[in-house]
Amino acid sequence: MGIKSFQGVRKVVKKEFDAPILVEDYMTKKLITFSPDQSILTVMEHLAKYHISGGPVLDNNGFLVGIISEADCMKQISESRYFNQPILDKSVERFMTKDVETIPYDMSIFDAAGIFDKHKRRRLPVMKNGILVGQISRKDIVIAALKLSGHNWK
């Protein structure tokens, strides 16, 4: 004879996974920033010293005015070779990318991945109310995806 349960019918508890999926959960918040009047040579030194491939350029008021990357520095290196001159002390403003695409801090990492795929960027500045609050890279998105793999969302 089977064992009877006197608890009645049990309610099936559906376990929902509440994982952080926003850009702000995975972005880098402590950034190395540059200024437009800084020397490109100094930028190159910082990129090498801190093992980064680029960073935001902020004006004197702390507003984002551009982004400088290793690729931008390559322009200076190429020019110096072409004109047979040493790497000159030219300003960041001359080489930085001025038309910078940004993303909001509360965007999902899935939407951010789509932007990375569409625009072929390596890093994107993250904004909150017009203020730079961080930066997210393709690597950050990959790490987030690995942490979230195997989970379902509704």
Side-chain angles (χ1 to χ4, degrees), residues 122-133:
R122 291 186 67 178
R123 73 197 58 75
L124 290 169
V126 180
M127 308 295 281
K128 181 177 185 178
N129 301 324
I131 304 295
L132 179 71
V133 292

Side-chain angles (χ1 to χ4, degrees), residues 40-103:
I40 195 72
L41 200 55
T42 303
V43 170
M44 288 184 211
E45 290 169 352
H46 278 73
L47 296 180
K49 179 179 179 181
Y50 296 108
H51 306 286
I52 57 174
S53 61
V57 180
L58 306 178
D59 67 10
N60 293 335
N61 297 320
F63 291 107
L64 181 69
V65 293
I67 197 161
I68 189 83
S69 68
E70 290 171 326
D72 298 322
C73 293
M74 292 298 127
K75 293 174 196 170
Q76 165 59 24
I77 294 167
S78 177
E79 280 184 19
S80 67
R81 170 65 191 233
Y82 182 77
F83 294 110
N84 197 23
Q85 298 176 347
I87 295 174
L88 300 175
D89 207 19
K90 297 178 183 171
S91 71
V92 168
E93 188 170 27
R94 180 172 176 188
F95 298 97
M96 71 182 189
T97 301
K98 294 175 182 159
D99 185 23
V100 180
E101 183 166 359
T102 64
I103 60 174

